[in-house]
Amino acid sequence: MSVGKIFKFHNDLDTDQIIASQYLLLPTIDEMKDHTFESLDPDFPKKVKPGDYVVGGENFGCGSSRENAPEAIAGMGIRCVIGTTFGGIFFKNCVNQGILPIKVDKKDLTELAALSEKGEATTVDLVNRNIILATGHVLPFSVGDMQRYLLMEGLDNVG
């Protein structure tokens, strides 16, 4: 189980907005991660904490297939991204980096977005496959058994 704040971004969040191409030349992920989401929120690296979540709406992770985008997200300590749909390669790269990509309905995304504006804590319970909002509302999600197994260790070690 992982508890964290939600950081909401827009639909069609592409990999260039997650980590801009000019930072791909930096020698380590530790140096790259300081530029994660920089074009959308320059203070993001200072605000995010391990165990927080990124919500991206529809078409999360579209654009180029660079694996550096999920690497930068993972480098920040984020172990879960939430959207209504994901770019296929981005989705697979997230799983490869130990990040759980959760698909939710648009109505649930609206509630998550409202909580992000308030800075409310949210819990992702991978064991029971639920997102537990600060309001007490529970959003069930599905994840395959193998994917769940591969991600359990990463989520349990956050924070």
Side-chain angles (χ1 to χ4, degrees):
M1 197 172 317
S2 176
V3 179
K5 285 178 31 179
I6 298 168
F7 291 88
K8 171 73 173 86
F9 294 103
H10 56 79
N11 291 333
D12 302 313
L13 182 61
D14 69 46
T15 54
D16 291 326
Q17 293 169 321
I18 296 169
I19 185 76
S21 60
Q22 70 259 30
Y23 300 118
L24 301 180
L25 299 175
L26 294 172
T28 68
I29 199 65
D30 279 338
E31 293 174 82
M32 274 188 246
K33 74 180 183 183
D34 292 337
H35 302 283
T36 307
F37 296 107
E38 185 175 82
S39 67
L40 303 173
D41 182 355
D43 294 327
F44 179 79
K46 295 175 188 140
K47 295 188 285 189
V48 71
K49 303 281 184 267
D52 287 344
Y53 310 105
V54 173
V55 176
E58 295 177 21
N59 207 18
F60 191 155
C62 60
S64 65
S65 61
R66 69 174 57 126
E67 60 193 32
N68 305 88
E71 284 177 338
I73 291 171
M76 304 292 297
I78 296 168
R79 296 291 175 251
C80 181
V81 292
I82 303 168
T84 56
T85 60
F86 291 89
I89 294 172
F90 177 79
F91 186 95
K92 291 173 187 170
N93 284 337
C94 281
V95 174
N96 291 342
Q97 290 298 319
I99 300 169
L100 174 62
I102 296 178
K103 293 181 183 179
V104 297
D105 294 330
K106 285 183 183 181
K107 66 177 179 56
D108 293 336
L109 191 69
T110 301
E111 190 169 356
L112 286 165
L115 289 175
S116 73
E117 292 172 12
K118 296 178 184 178
E120 297 285 345
T122 301
T123 302
V124 171
D125 180 353
L126 190 54
V127 173
N128 296 303
R129 299 176 174 126
N130 290 315
I131 300 172
I132 305 163
L133 305 178
T135 60
H137 189 206
V138 176
L139 309 175
F141 63 88
S142 65
V143 61
D145 287 335
M146 181 56 77
Q147 183 183 9
R148 181 175 160 265
Y149 172 78
L150 293 171
L151 294 167
M152 287 290 288
E153 178 98 8
L155 283 177
D156 285 345
N157 289 328
V158 170

